[in-house]
Amino acid sequence: MKFPTFWGGIHPCSHKELTNKNKIIYYVPQGELVFPVSQHIGAPNKAVVKKGDAVFVGTTLAMTDVQMSAPVLSSVSGVVKDVALRQSVTGNFEECIIVDNDGQYTLDSGWGSPTTDKTEYISTIRRAGIVGYGGATFPTAIKLTPPPSTKITHIILNGAECEPYLNCDNRLMIEASEEVLKGLLIVLELFPEAQGIVAIENNKQEALKTMKQSLLSLIQQNKDVAKVNILPLEVKYPQGAEKMLIEAVTGKEYPLSCLPANVGCIILNVRTAQQIYRAIKLGEPSTERVVTVTGDAIKEPRNVRTKLGTNIKELIDFCGGFIAEPIKVISGGPMMGITMRNLDAPVTKATSGILALTKQSAMIHKATPCLRCGKCVAACPMGLEPVVLDPLVIARKYDEFEAAGGMNCIECGSCTYVCPACRPLTQTCRDGKASVIAKRKKIQQLEQNGQK
């Protein structure tokens, strides 16, 4: 049977067998927790607490009045130890709020009651700090408020989890399938004309079976649930990227300048849907996430549910520590994750996995001159030509890089994966995009100063 998919893409080894059968284990963090003030795409937050303040589970630590944002909430009760610069997974120093955990996990008084008024759903989702938990961390409240003229026809739950090694979404669908579906139903209340689709890659047979069983159970309780479908997708990377997912599910292609809502689609990660359910129906703030801790350097690979702000080194120790010296530790998966320079960094909303690889599995090779084979062009799901973009960035011809479509790169890593010359094509595109953005900001600042 042929399953829906998109144009381009690759088939990397999944390595999911390390943790796909491992149930989610809860880890209670020890000692202090660290919360970067901004954990979303959008306007930066500012700390709204100070040293010495008492906080509880769900207390707002950092926020901004700008709509394109999501607050950061405390995941523990205790006292604010400091507001200071701490190193993040990227190696950069960011403003963070450090909280001494009292071990009581007392819930903030503003939480604990369900939201019964549909008009308050969006404000509750925003107040709960819910973002896209697939890794992009786009504020969910913004995603659920498209322009009034936009007609939403599809609410798509992204259960593809195409990134190798990771199983946090897979296990969530197996262990909390009903909550995931109930979260989707809440969103469908906001868009009653839309169809709900849960898209899952076909290599996740247990998740597909469990989700279908839970859906049938809900349909027996409520016939309106019948407009929700579970859709198996072809196993291919990057199936979970928004544009690729929409193409696979609906058959629609849309201009790169458009948003999913422009073609009638809203895409939510399966954990995001579960968190919507828990915030609306249980009055629970979004202060935890599931992290897959895996790789051949990890003694006991596990799927761990833990508090946001938990120390990553502490999480690795919970999984038995290292059985071999890792040559690389990645926050996220091997294709789109960030290489960590320091393990003394916190779990954030974007931390889907911690991947520790030995020299044998990382297979770091020296780059050689381009062979002009065209494999990167065939693999690129965005239809770009990495073979053209790479030398433009190296030559610092950023205007030409932008004109060649370089800003449309989604940094999925497909081109680098297939390159027989081992060229870091994704990294050069990432560098090119960063340079173009920096240039734009500089021009904008000059224009603002000129106006003054």
Side-chain angles (χ1 to χ4, degrees), residues 131-137 158 166 169 269-272 289 349-350 352:
V131 299
Y133 283 108
T137 65
N158 185 353
L166 302 187
D169 291 347
N269 175 263
V270 289
R271 176 157 184 82
T272 301
R289 75 152 299 142
K349 297 178 185 182
S352 55

Side-chain angles (χ1 to χ4, degrees), residues 395-442:
R396 299 185 179 181
K397 296 180 178 179
Y398 301 123
D399 290 340
E400 292 182 39
F401 167 82
E402 187 175 4
M407 298 304 290
N408 294 318
C409 171
I410 61 172
E411 302 174 23
C412 67
S414 296
C415 54
T416 300
Y417 183 85
V418 299
C419 180
C422 303
R423 298 197 60 77
L425 302 173
T426 305
Q427 186 59 48
T428 51
C429 275
R430 186 177 288 131
D431 293 343
K433 289 171 66 178
S435 297
V436 171
I437 291 170
K439 182 180 177 181
R440 289 176 182 174
K441 288 182 178 178
K442 186 176 181 180

Side-chain angles (χ1 to χ4, degrees), residues 81-312:
K81 181 178 180 180
D82 203 358
V83 179
L85 295 178
R86 289 290 182 92
Q87 207 166 18
S88 69
V89 293
T90 63
N92 297 325
F93 283 87
E94 301 177 14
E95 184 179 9
C96 294
I97 297 161
I98 299 94
V99 176
D100 263 335
N101 180 10
D102 64 10
Q104 299 301 308
Y105 303 101
T106 307
L107 188 66
D108 189 283
S109 60
W111 292 98
S113 300
T115 301
T116 55
D117 186 347
K118 189 167 67 174
T119 62
E120 296 180 3
Y121 283 3
I122 297 298
S123 61
T124 300
I125 289 167
R126 174 177 167 78
R127 191 165 64 92
I130 299 174
V131 299
Y133 283 108
T137 65
F138 192 94
T140 302
I142 298 297
K143 189 174 282 191
L144 296 180
T145 51
S149 59
T150 304
K151 182 181 179 181
I152 300 300
T153 58
H154 293 82
I155 307 296
I156 303 172
L157 290 197
N158 185 353
E161 196 167 45
C162 57
E163 184 84 30
Y165 286 97
L166 302 187
N167 275 299
C168 49
D169 291 347
N170 179 31
R171 290 307 312 180
L172 188 73
M173 289 186 287
I174 294 169
E175 299 179 40
S177 56
E178 190 167 305
E179 290 189 357
V180 171
L181 289 169
K182 286 181 177 179
L184 173 58
L185 293 177
I186 290 171
V187 177
L188 287 170
E189 287 184 48
L190 299 173
F191 303 95
E193 296 182 5
Q195 179 185 7
I197 297 175
V198 185
I200 307 172
E201 279 195 325
N202 197 48
N203 60 349
K204 300 172 182 63
Q205 286 295 313
E206 189 175 357
L208 281 164
K209 179 181 177 181
T210 306
M211 292 292 287
K212 287 177 180 178
Q213 288 174 342
S214 293
L215 180 60
L216 287 172
S217 176
L218 289 173
I219 288 174
Q220 291 173 356
Q221 301 170 36
N222 182 355
K223 291 183 179 180
D224 289 340
V225 185
K227 64 178 180 179
V228 175
N229 292 315
I230 311 297
L231 179 66
L233 300 177
E234 182 180 323
V235 180
K236 187 165 64 168
Y237 179 87
Q239 188 76 262
E242 278 192 342
K243 192 174 188 302
M244 284 72 252
L245 198 61
I246 290 172
E247 184 179 338
V249 171
T250 71
K252 296 179 181 177
E253 292 190 34
Y254 58 96
L256 299 177
S257 58
C258 289
L259 295 172
N262 296 131
V263 290
C265 297
I266 290 177
I267 297 178
L268 301 171
N269 175 263
V270 289
R271 176 157 184 82
T272 301
Q274 185 219 21
Q275 292 296 286
I276 288 172
Y277 163 74
R278 299 191 73 85
I280 299 295
K281 298 300 183 181
L282 305 181
E284 182 179 290
S286 185
T287 58
E288 300 178 344
R289 75 152 299 142
V290 180
V291 182
T292 298
V293 184
T294 187
D296 62 338
I298 298 290
K299 184 177 181 180
E300 299 174 19
R302 289 173 168 174
N303 298 298
V304 185
R305 179 169 64 90
T306 192
K307 302 285 186 182
L308 297 176
T310 299
N311 184 276
I312 286 176

Side-chain angles (χ1 to χ4, degrees), residues 335-400:
M335 302 300 292
M336 296 189 73
I338 300 170
T339 300
M340 296 183 63
R341 301 177 185 178
N342 174 33
L343 299 183
D344 189 23
V347 171
T348 69
K349 297 178 185 182
T351 312
S352 55
I354 301 298
L355 175 60
L357 301 174
T358 64
K359 185 176 181 180
Q360 181 179 0
S361 60
M363 294 188 296
I364 299 174
H365 300 294
K366 184 178 179 180
T368 58
C370 175
L371 303 174
R372 310 291 292 181
C373 65
K375 288 185 177 181
C376 60
V377 178
C380 179
M382 298 300 288
L384 303 177
E385 296 181 318
V387 63
V388 173
L389 299 173
D390 183 48
L392 291 176
V393 175
I394 293 171
R396 299 185 179 181
K397 296 180 178 179
Y398 301 123
D399 290 340
E400 292 182 39

